[in-house]
Amino acid sequence: MKFMCQMSITFPESMSPETKADYQAQEKEYSQALQRAGEFEAIYRVAGRYANVSIFEVESNDRLHEILSGFPMFPYMDIVTTPLCKHPNSIK
């Protein structure tokens, strides 16, 4: 099952730069492991925002939820999830 997830992150203003940097390092490690495993197909930065659009290929809705809730920054994320289907005009 393929999903597009639009994610934006809002940290509390009271969070220290060191804590933010720690979250960012953990997030990078977690997301790259998912990419190497093949479940996290692509990630694109949204220009001008602390946000991304990500494409996941997973076995179930439950697996997607497990992945998303496992992100270290999950408590600070707003996520919009859209299931995707192959378009009939696609040549790939």
Side-chain angles (χ1 to χ4, degrees):
M1 301 175 75
K2 195 175 293 274
F3 295 91
M4 175 184 67
C5 296
Q6 298 168 286
M7 304 180 203
S8 60
I9 294 92
T10 305
F11 287 121
E13 289 185 27
S14 61
M15 186 178 284
S16 73
E18 295 81 17
T19 300
K20 286 180 189 176
D22 186 48
Y23 273 112
Q24 290 166 331
Q26 291 176 50
E27 194 84 2
K28 183 176 183 177
E29 184 178 324
Y30 181 76
S31 68
Q32 288 182 349
L34 289 168
Q35 290 173 65
R36 284 190 283 279
E39 291 181 298
F40 194 166
E41 286 191 353
I43 183 169
Y44 302 94
R45 179 178 302 278
V46 177
R49 295 182 45 217
Y50 194 26
N52 72 72
V53 174
S54 296
I55 305 296
F56 293 90
E57 178 72 42
V58 294
E59 64 188 32
S60 67
N61 294 340
D62 289 335
R63 177 61 182 144
L64 180 64
H65 180 75
E66 182 181 329
I67 287 170
L68 296 177
S69 62
F71 276 103
M73 293 185 200
F74 182 73
Y76 309 105
M77 290 178 160
D78 179 37
I79 304 171
V80 176
T81 301
T82 306
L84 300 174
C85 300
K86 185 172 180 168
H87 194 283
N89 293 348
S90 175
I91 61 171
K92 293 184 180 185

